[in-house]
Amino acid sequence: MAPAGAPPYAGPPYEVVITDENIGPAGLSQYWVTIENLDVSSTAYRDAVKEVVSDVAAGEQSADVIVTVVTDRKIAEAESPSTVLDFIEEYGDDYLVNAIPTLEVEGWVASYSGGLNPDQADPTDALDGYEILWWPYGDLEVEAWKPDLPAST
């Protein structure tokens, strides 16, 4: 939820399905977000995803977060460190190994990381530490980008 005084959220409906805290050497929070019925037939979806990332970052009051956007909750459950064991128990190893990679190609839309050195995974304030990976398990494209956050009141 955005802080008071922030402009109203205008992006697509989304759900934060899992939050993993203190991830990696940078100690960032990772938000696993699902957007159902995301139309990816044109590049307009990228603006929608950026709206979601900006909203999550505003709620965190920091651009130094990880926001992973998927269209299928199973991807988040299979990849999140806090839920993968429960996922394996429910669906089995074979499903994790064989079905999830196929889902990821079409359903892992983007991964934003902010405040994270892309080479060493340690904290950074450098501009290259803020980026979105579009289709990380498909036709990967990297975009340098940092959400604008509302000024604190």
Side-chain angles (χ1 to χ4, degrees):
M1 175 178 241
Y9 175 71
Y14 71 93
E15 179 183 3
V16 175
V17 293
I18 302 164
T19 303
D20 293 314
E21 297 185 15
N22 201 23
I23 297 297
L28 301 178
S29 293
Q30 180 172 16
Y31 296 88
W32 293 87
V33 174
T34 58
I35 303 175
E36 293 183 12
N37 304 316
L38 182 65
D39 180 4
V40 296
S41 62
S42 75
T43 58
Y45 77 89
R46 290 183 179 210
D47 291 334
V49 168
K50 287 178 178 179
E51 286 286 335
V52 169
V53 171
S54 294
D55 194 53
V56 172
E60 181 79 10
Q61 297 183 352
S62 175
D64 295 357
V65 296
I66 301 168
V67 181
T68 304
V69 179
V70 297
T71 60
D72 189 321
R73 181 185 189 107
K74 287 180 182 174
I75 297 169
E77 292 171 347
E79 294 292 348
S80 167
S82 65
T83 59
V84 66
L85 294 178
D86 291 336
F87 184 86
I88 292 169
E89 186 174 313
E90 183 173 349
Y91 294 98
D93 286 325
D94 287 342
Y95 190 82
L96 178 72
V97 172
N98 297 316
I100 291 300
T102 302
L103 288 176
E104 289 174 341
V105 170
E106 294 189 21
W108 192 315
V109 179
S111 289
Y112 164 79
S113 60
L116 183 66
N117 181 321
D119 297 322
Q120 285 91 24
D122 56 349
T124 185
D125 290 335
L127 291 178
D128 68 348
Y130 298 85
E131 63 186 15
I132 293 182
L133 305 179
W134 298 106
W135 304 106
Y137 289 91
D139 294 328
L140 173 65
E141 183 181 331
V142 179
E143 178 183 355
W145 179 78
K146 182 178 182 179
D148 291 325
L149 298 177
S152 299
T153 56

